[in-house]
Amino acid sequence: MAAVDLATHPGHLARRLQQAHHLLWNTMVSEEITSPQFAVLNALAAEPGLDQRTVGERVGLDRSTVAEVISRLIRRALLDKVRDPQDGRRYLLRLTDDGRSTHRKLTVRTARMNQVFLAPLSADEQSVFFDLVQRVAGAAESLRHPGEPLAAPRP
């Protein structure tokens, strides 16, 4: 049987893209704060006081992953959690002063990293790239939630 051309396999290309992103993240953004950790900090910078489940939904992390990410950020004193005054069973999350400072610093670095990451593409190609990746990611997300309609293909 002949070998397949992995350049035609989206999963293989997505993995290679992720490897490139990981390398750039570690060299240009942070070796201590991961991309998912930054996503949580960013979500809470935009909407302070979210609960853990909502943060996970905002950043596309499953329940166990977001729990571990939040636990690490709390241990690093970048997040605080407080009981929800309306529902004592729930905790609300907020950035600490160090968390806000870390978020600001990493926001600048991620912007630079993204410029390097997308440098092979023109501005128009970057726009098309984001549109296509968001459509595929949206359709893939729909697969995690059976019963919800799949994202409709666009013309």
Side-chain angles (χ1 to χ4, degrees):
M1 177 179 265
V4 297
D5 179 5
L6 292 179
T8 65
H9 286 232
H12 175 75
L13 295 173
R15 183 185 57 76
R16 290 188 57 207
L17 196 64
Q18 178 60 28
Q19 286 175 323
H21 177 268
H22 183 74
L23 175 67
L24 284 175
W25 184 274
N26 284 342
T27 56
M28 296 186 71
V29 179
S30 177
E31 291 183 350
E32 292 83 36
I33 303 295
T34 65
S35 181
Q37 289 171 351
F38 175 73
V40 167
L41 294 175
N42 195 59
L44 291 167
E47 296 180 81
L50 296 176
D51 63 74
Q52 182 171 300
R53 180 188 56 79
T54 305
V55 169
E57 290 171 357
R58 295 283 196 277
V59 300
L61 294 174
D62 62 73
R63 290 171 64 176
S64 61
T65 303
V66 77
E68 180 58 30
V69 166
I70 287 170
S71 177
R72 287 174 189 236
L73 292 171
I74 289 171
R75 283 195 305 270
R76 289 189 168 163
L78 299 176
L79 292 185
D80 276 332
K81 81 177 176 180
V82 295
R83 282 210 188 273
D84 183 342
Q86 276 94 41
D87 181 352
R89 299 167 296 176
R90 193 168 88 133
Y91 286 94
L92 304 178
L93 301 162
R94 289 188 171 79
L95 299 179
T96 63
D97 288 342
D98 283 347
R100 280 188 289 282
S101 172
T102 298
H103 177 261
R104 278 192 301 273
K105 177 176 66 176
L106 296 182
T107 297
V108 172
R109 292 178 186 176
T110 58
R112 265 188 254 129
M113 184 210 68
N114 287 335
Q115 288 175 337
V116 170
F117 191 59
L118 296 171
L121 304 177
S122 70
D124 286 344
E125 289 170 331
Q126 288 178 26
S127 179
V128 170
F129 173 79
F130 279 116
D131 180 54
L132 295 173
V133 171
Q134 288 168 353
R135 284 171 38 200
V136 171
E141 182 65 23
S142 298
L143 295 174
R144 291 176 20 150
H145 304 287
E148 292 181 16
L150 290 177
R154 293 183 14 189

